[in-house]
Amino acid sequence: MARERSGRTVAHLVLATRLKTLREAAGMSRTEAATALGAHVATVRRIEQAETSLDEGQIHTLLTAYGAGAAEMEAFLGKLATANLPGWWHPWRSVMDAWQLDLMSVESATRIIRVWEPALIPALLRTPSYARAVENIRRPDLSPADRDRRTELLMERQKRLRLQKTRIWAIMPAAALRTFVGGAGVMAEQRRALRAAVERSDVTLQIHPLDGPCHAMTGMPAVTLYRVDVPEIPDHVVREGDLRGSAEVLSGLQAVSAYHVLLDHTCVVAPHPNKSKEVLS
Protein backbone atom coordinates (compact mmCIF):
# COMPACT_ATOMS: atom_id res chain seq x y z
CA MET A 1 0.00 0.00 0.00
CA ALA A 2 1.38 3.39 -0.93
CA ARG A 3 1.82 5.88 1.88
CA GLU A 4 0.05 8.67 -0.06
CA ARG A 5 -3.15 6.68 0.12
CA SER A 6 -3.21 7.26 3.86
CA GLY A 7 -5.76 10.07 3.67
CA ARG A 8 -8.28 8.04 1.72
CA THR A 9 -11.72 7.07 2.87
CA VAL A 10 -13.81 4.06 1.93
CA ALA A 11 -15.88 6.39 -0.25
CA HIS A 12 -12.65 7.33 -2.07
CA LEU A 13 -11.84 3.67 -2.72
CA VAL A 14 -15.36 2.94 -3.95
CA LEU A 15 -15.24 5.86 -6.37
CA ALA A 16 -11.88 4.72 -7.73
CA THR A 17 -13.34 1.27 -8.38
CA ARG A 18 -16.40 2.85 -9.99
CA LEU A 19 -14.17 4.79 -12.39
CA LYS A 20 -12.52 1.58 -13.54
CA THR A 21 -15.92 -0.03 -14.07
CA LEU A 22 -17.12 2.94 -16.14
CA ARG A 23 -13.98 2.83 -18.29
CA GLU A 24 -14.36 -0.85 -18.98
CA ALA A 25 -18.08 -0.43 -19.73
CA ALA A 26 -17.15 2.25 -22.25
CA GLY A 27 -14.78 -0.20 -23.93
CA MET A 28 -11.74 1.98 -23.31
CA SER A 29 -8.27 0.82 -22.38
CA ARG A 30 -6.17 2.62 -19.80
CA THR A 31 -4.00 3.92 -22.61
CA GLU A 32 -7.03 5.47 -24.31
CA ALA A 33 -8.20 6.95 -21.00
CA ALA A 34 -4.74 8.40 -20.46
CA THR A 35 -4.83 9.98 -23.92
CA ALA A 36 -8.19 11.61 -23.13
CA LEU A 37 -6.74 12.86 -19.85
CA GLY A 38 -3.52 14.07 -21.47
CA ALA A 39 -1.48 12.09 -18.98
CA HIS A 40 0.67 8.96 -18.71
CA VAL A 41 -1.13 5.61 -18.51
CA ALA A 42 0.37 5.16 -15.03
CA THR A 43 -1.73 8.11 -13.86
CA VAL A 44 -4.95 6.31 -14.80
CA ARG A 45 -3.74 3.14 -13.11
CA ARG A 46 -2.93 5.05 -9.91
CA ILE A 47 -6.33 6.75 -9.96
CA GLU A 48 -8.17 3.45 -10.42
CA GLN A 49 -6.19 1.74 -7.68
CA ALA A 50 -6.70 4.66 -5.27
CA GLU A 51 -2.96 5.25 -5.10
CA THR A 52 -3.40 8.99 -5.54
CA SER A 53 -5.99 11.58 -4.68
CA LEU A 54 -8.99 12.02 -6.96
CA ASP A 55 -8.76 15.44 -8.60
CA GLU A 56 -12.11 16.93 -9.61
CA GLY A 57 -10.80 18.22 -12.95
CA GLN A 58 -9.27 14.88 -13.91
CA ILE A 59 -12.36 12.97 -12.85
CA HIS A 60 -14.62 15.30 -14.86
CA THR A 61 -12.47 14.69 -17.94
CA LEU A 62 -12.53 10.91 -17.46
CA LEU A 63 -16.28 10.80 -16.86
CA THR A 64 -16.84 12.82 -20.03
CA ALA A 65 -14.61 10.42 -21.99
CA TYR A 66 -16.56 7.46 -20.59
CA GLY A 67 -19.85 8.96 -21.74
CA ALA A 68 -21.31 9.61 -18.30
CA GLY A 69 -24.57 11.58 -18.34
CA ALA A 70 -25.05 14.90 -16.59
CA ALA A 71 -26.93 13.36 -13.64
CA GLU A 72 -24.37 10.61 -13.10
CA MET A 73 -21.50 13.09 -13.35
CA GLU A 74 -23.12 15.45 -10.82
CA ALA A 75 -23.74 12.57 -8.39
CA PHE A 76 -20.18 11.26 -8.79
CA LEU A 77 -18.57 14.66 -8.23
CA GLY A 78 -20.81 15.24 -5.21
CA LYS A 79 -19.59 11.99 -3.66
CA LEU A 80 -16.02 12.95 -4.57
CA ALA A 81 -16.30 16.17 -2.56
CA THR A 82 -17.36 14.14 0.47
CA ALA A 83 -14.68 11.50 -0.10
CA ASN A 84 -11.93 14.12 -0.19
CA LEU A 85 -12.75 15.34 3.32
CA PRO A 86 -10.17 14.26 5.93
CA GLY A 87 -10.91 11.01 7.78
CA TRP A 88 -11.91 11.17 11.45
CA TRP A 89 -8.40 10.00 12.37
CA HIS A 90 -6.77 13.06 10.79
CA PRO A 91 -5.94 14.76 14.15
CA TRP A 92 -3.80 11.76 15.15
CA ARG A 93 -1.89 11.37 11.87
CA SER A 94 1.41 12.56 13.29
CA VAL A 95 1.58 9.71 15.84
CA MET A 96 0.11 6.91 13.73
CA ASP A 97 2.11 4.04 12.23
CA ALA A 98 2.18 3.86 8.42
CA TRP A 99 0.00 0.75 8.36
CA GLN A 100 -2.58 2.43 10.59
CA LEU A 101 -2.82 5.34 8.20
CA ASP A 102 -3.52 2.90 5.39
CA LEU A 103 -6.01 0.80 7.32
CA MET A 104 -8.23 3.30 9.12
CA SER A 105 -10.60 3.67 6.19
CA VAL A 106 -10.83 -0.10 5.85
CA GLU A 107 -11.49 -0.43 9.58
CA SER A 108 -14.38 2.02 9.28
CA ALA A 109 -16.09 -0.37 6.87
CA THR A 110 -15.26 -3.60 8.68
CA ARG A 111 -17.99 -5.99 9.71
CA ILE A 112 -15.82 -8.37 11.76
CA ILE A 113 -12.31 -7.92 13.13
CA ARG A 114 -10.57 -11.16 14.05
CA VAL A 115 -7.46 -10.90 16.20
CA TRP A 116 -4.69 -13.21 17.35
CA GLU A 117 -2.57 -11.64 20.10
CA PRO A 118 0.35 -13.86 21.19
CA ALA A 119 1.35 -12.27 24.50
CA LEU A 120 -0.81 -9.35 25.64
CA ILE A 121 -4.42 -8.28 25.90
CA PRO A 122 -5.66 -7.55 22.34
CA ALA A 123 -5.44 -3.83 21.58
CA LEU A 124 -9.13 -3.39 20.83
CA LEU A 125 -10.00 -4.73 24.31
CA ARG A 126 -7.43 -2.75 26.30
CA THR A 127 -8.25 -0.16 28.94
CA PRO A 128 -6.64 3.30 28.65
CA SER A 129 -4.25 2.54 31.52
CA TYR A 130 -3.18 -0.82 30.09
CA ALA A 131 -2.80 0.67 26.60
CA ARG A 132 -0.69 3.54 27.92
CA ALA A 133 1.53 1.09 29.83
CA VAL A 134 2.06 -0.92 26.63
CA GLU A 135 3.02 2.27 24.78
CA ASN A 136 5.55 3.06 27.52
CA ILE A 137 7.16 -0.33 27.01
CA ARG A 138 7.00 -0.67 23.25
CA ARG A 139 7.54 2.94 22.15
CA PRO A 140 10.21 4.50 24.37
CA ASP A 141 11.34 6.35 21.25
CA LEU A 142 8.26 8.58 21.44
CA SER A 143 7.62 11.48 23.79
CA PRO A 144 5.14 11.00 26.68
CA ALA A 145 2.75 13.35 24.87
CA ASP A 146 2.88 11.25 21.69
CA ARG A 147 2.30 8.06 23.67
CA ASP A 148 -0.75 9.70 25.23
CA ARG A 149 -2.02 10.66 21.78
CA ARG A 150 -1.61 7.08 20.55
CA THR A 151 -3.61 5.85 23.52
CA GLU A 152 -6.32 8.41 22.75
CA LEU A 153 -6.45 7.13 19.17
CA LEU A 154 -6.92 3.54 20.34
CA MET A 155 -9.78 4.57 22.64
CA GLU A 156 -11.40 6.48 19.77
CA ARG A 157 -11.06 3.42 17.52
CA GLN A 158 -12.75 1.26 20.14
CA LYS A 159 -15.58 3.77 20.51
CA ARG A 160 -16.20 4.03 16.78
CA LEU A 161 -16.14 0.27 16.28
CA ARG A 162 -18.82 -0.11 18.95
CA LEU A 163 -20.94 2.59 17.29
CA GLN A 164 -20.67 0.94 13.86
CA LYS A 165 -21.49 -2.43 15.47
CA THR A 166 -18.31 -4.13 14.31
CA ARG A 167 -17.85 -7.53 15.92
CA ILE A 168 -14.53 -8.19 17.67
CA TRP A 169 -13.44 -11.84 17.76
CA ALA A 170 -10.17 -12.12 19.67
CA ILE A 171 -7.95 -15.03 20.68
CA MET A 172 -5.17 -14.70 23.25
CA PRO A 173 -3.14 -16.93 25.58
CA ALA A 174 -3.96 -17.15 29.29
CA ALA A 175 -0.38 -16.00 29.89
CA ALA A 176 -1.50 -12.49 28.96
CA LEU A 177 -3.57 -12.39 32.14
CA ARG A 178 -0.49 -13.24 34.20
CA THR A 179 1.89 -10.84 32.51
CA PHE A 180 1.90 -7.69 34.61
CA VAL A 181 1.61 -4.60 32.44
CA GLY A 182 1.54 -1.38 34.41
CA GLY A 183 1.21 -3.01 37.82
CA ALA A 184 -1.43 -4.81 39.86
CA GLY A 185 -3.97 -1.97 39.74
CA VAL A 186 -3.81 -1.72 35.97
CA MET A 187 -4.18 -5.50 35.60
CA ALA A 188 -7.15 -5.62 37.99
CA GLU A 189 -8.89 -2.88 36.01
CA GLN A 190 -8.12 -4.69 32.75
CA ARG A 191 -9.60 -7.92 34.04
CA ARG A 192 -12.78 -6.10 35.04
CA ALA A 193 -12.96 -4.53 31.60
CA LEU A 194 -12.57 -7.93 29.92
CA ARG A 195 -15.33 -9.40 32.10
CA ALA A 196 -17.62 -6.59 30.97
CA ALA A 197 -16.54 -6.92 27.33
CA VAL A 198 -17.32 -10.63 27.04
CA GLU A 199 -20.89 -9.91 28.12
CA ARG A 200 -21.38 -7.73 25.06
CA SER A 201 -22.92 -9.24 21.93
CA ASP A 202 -20.26 -7.66 19.72
CA VAL A 203 -17.29 -9.29 21.49
CA THR A 204 -16.11 -12.90 21.35
CA LEU A 205 -13.02 -13.78 23.36
CA GLN A 206 -11.26 -17.15 23.43
CA ILE A 207 -8.40 -17.75 25.85
CA HIS A 208 -5.90 -20.56 25.24
CA PRO A 209 -5.02 -22.20 28.58
CA LEU A 210 -1.43 -22.35 29.79
CA ASP A 211 -1.44 -26.14 29.46
CA GLY A 212 -3.33 -26.15 26.16
CA PRO A 213 -2.15 -27.87 22.95
CA CYS A 214 -0.11 -26.25 20.22
CA HIS A 215 -2.33 -24.61 17.59
CA ALA A 216 -2.10 -23.06 14.12
CA MET A 217 -1.12 -19.59 15.38
CA THR A 218 1.44 -20.75 17.95
CA GLY A 219 4.65 -18.74 17.59
CA MET A 220 3.12 -16.20 15.22
CA PRO A 221 3.16 -12.45 15.84
CA ALA A 222 -0.04 -10.46 16.33
CA VAL A 223 -2.42 -10.89 13.39
CA THR A 224 -5.58 -8.92 12.63
CA LEU A 225 -8.04 -9.89 9.91
CA TYR A 226 -10.52 -7.27 8.69
CA ARG A 227 -13.70 -8.75 7.16
CA VAL A 228 -14.98 -5.81 5.11
CA ASP A 229 -18.64 -5.16 4.34
CA VAL A 230 -18.12 -3.08 1.18
CA PRO A 231 -18.11 -5.11 -2.09
CA GLU A 232 -15.45 -2.94 -3.72
CA ILE A 233 -13.00 -3.31 -0.83
CA PRO A 234 -11.20 -6.63 -0.17
CA ASP A 235 -10.64 -8.12 3.25
CA HIS A 236 -7.26 -7.22 4.76
CA VAL A 237 -4.76 -8.88 7.08
CA VAL A 238 -2.25 -7.02 9.26
CA ARG A 239 0.70 -9.07 10.50
CA GLU A 240 2.66 -7.01 13.00
CA GLY A 241 6.45 -6.99 12.80
CA ASP A 242 9.26 -6.98 15.34
CA LEU A 243 10.39 -3.40 14.72
CA ARG A 244 8.59 -0.48 16.32
CA GLY A 245 5.44 0.34 14.41
CA SER A 246 6.15 -2.12 11.60
CA ALA A 247 3.55 -4.39 10.06
CA GLU A 248 2.84 -6.23 6.82
CA VAL A 249 -0.54 -5.42 5.26
CA LEU A 250 -2.02 -8.04 2.93
CA SER A 251 -5.17 -7.85 0.82
CA GLY A 252 -4.62 -10.55 -1.79
CA LEU A 253 -7.30 -13.26 -1.78
CA GLN A 254 -4.81 -16.11 -1.33
CA ALA A 255 -3.03 -14.55 1.65
CA VAL A 256 -6.23 -13.43 3.37
CA SER A 257 -7.82 -16.85 2.87
CA ALA A 258 -4.75 -18.56 4.33
CA TYR A 259 -4.92 -16.50 7.53
CA HIS A 260 -8.66 -17.02 7.68
CA VAL A 261 -8.07 -20.78 7.73
CA LEU A 262 -5.34 -20.48 10.38
CA LEU A 263 -7.61 -18.42 12.63
CA ASP A 264 -10.46 -20.89 12.11
CA HIS A 265 -8.23 -23.80 13.15
CA THR A 266 -7.01 -21.88 16.19
CA CYS A 267 -10.57 -21.08 17.25
CA VAL A 268 -11.52 -24.74 17.01
CA VAL A 269 -8.63 -25.73 19.29
CA ALA A 270 -9.30 -22.93 21.79
CA PRO A 271 -11.83 -23.38 24.59
CA HIS A 272 -15.39 -22.19 23.95
CA PRO A 273 -15.90 -18.45 24.59
CA ASN A 274 -18.00 -19.30 27.64
CA LYS A 275 -14.85 -20.67 29.24
CA SER A 276 -13.30 -17.21 28.97
CA LYS A 277 -15.88 -15.93 31.42
CA GLU A 278 -14.83 -18.60 33.91
CA VAL A 279 -11.13 -17.75 33.47
CA LEU A 280 -11.81 -14.05 34.01
CA SER A 281 -14.07 -14.50 37.05
Side-chain angles (χ1 to χ4, degrees):
M1 287 188 167
R3 179 64 178 266
E4 60 185 293
R5 291 170 62 180
S6 60
R8 69 191 180 166
T9 63
V10 167
H12 187 160
L13 293 169
V14 171
L15 289 177
T17 301
R18 176 63 178 157
L19 276 175
K20 179 181 178 181
T21 300
L22 288 172
R23 174 180 60 77
E24 293 173 341
M28 294 181 66
S29 66
R30 281 182 175 165
T31 300
E32 291 170 326
T35 299
L37 191 60
H40 192 278
V41 65
T43 300
V44 176
R45 177 188 61 78
R46 285 164 61 80
I47 289 173
E48 292 183 350
Q49 295 182 359
E51 293 179 352
T52 186
S53 60
L54 298 182
D55 176 78
E56 182 177 350
Q58 289 181 323
I59 300 310
H60 188 281
T61 299
L62 289 174
L63 290 174
T64 300
Y66 301 159
E72 182 175 20
M73 188 174 297
E74 181 180 358
F76 196 106
L77 293 177
K79 292 177 181 177
L80 175 60
T82 300
N84 282 338
L85 294 174
W88 65 261
W89 55 91
H90 189 79
W92 289 276
R93 281 170 58 94
S94 64
V95 297
M96 293 171 68
D97 298 325
W99 69 267
Q100 290 179 318
L101 285 166
D102 283 330
L103 262 293
M104 283 300 96
S105 60
V106 174
E107 186 172 283
S108 69
T110 298
R111 175 171 48 92
I112 300 175
I113 296 179
R114 300 184 64 181
V115 180
W116 157 249
E117 169 56 60
L120 301 172
I121 305 300
L124 294 177
L125 298 178
R126 290 172 188 169
T127 64
S129 297
Y130 187 100
R132 183 60 166 81
V134 171
E135 290 291 337
N136 290 342
I137 296 167
R138 288 189 166 177
R139 298 306 304 266
D141 56 309
L142 299 178
S143 69
D146 282 351
R147 293 198 290 269
D148 285 341
R149 293 287 287 158
R150 287 170 61 85
T151 301
E152 289 174 8
L153 171 63
L154 177 58
M155 296 305 108
E156 185 65 21
R157 287 174 61 200
Q158 292 180 6
K159 172 186 172 183
R160 289 177 179 272
L161 288 171
R162 288 195 297 271
L163 289 175
Q164 70 190 41
K165 302 186 186 305
T166 296
R167 181 183 171 193
I168 308 298
W169 186 352
I171 316 169
M172 70 178 198
L177 298 172
R178 301 192 180 190
T179 301
F180 269 44
V181 175
V186 171
M187 291 304 299
E189 178 188 47
Q190 181 64 72
R191 274 181 170 268
R192 289 194 297 270
L194 286 176
R195 286 197 293 270
V198 296
E199 296 296 336
R200 289 167 26 203
S201 60
D202 61 326
V203 173
T204 299
L205 176 63
Q206 292 180 269
I207 301 176
H208 277 281
L210 295 174
D211 59 352
C214 182
H215 53 81
M217 301 296 288
T218 298
M220 286 194 180
V223 171
T224 304
L225 191 157
Y226 293 82
R227 303 298 308 277
V228 185
D229 212 14
V230 178
E232 294 87 350
I233 312 302
D235 294 344
H236 285 64
V237 166
V238 177
R239 179 184 169 114
E240 296 187 29
D242 296 328
L243 299 177
R244 294 167 180 165
S246 67
E248 181 181 16
V249 179
L250 307 168
S251 59
L253 179 60
Q254 184 175 359
V256 172
S257 297
Y259 277 103
H260 190 180
V261 170
L262 290 174
L263 285 167
D264 281 348
H265 287 176
T266 301
C267 290
V268 169
V269 174
H272 190 276
N274 287 338
K275 291 292 184 180
S276 298
K277 299 179 182 180
E278 297 176 12
V279 173
L280 294 170
S281 61

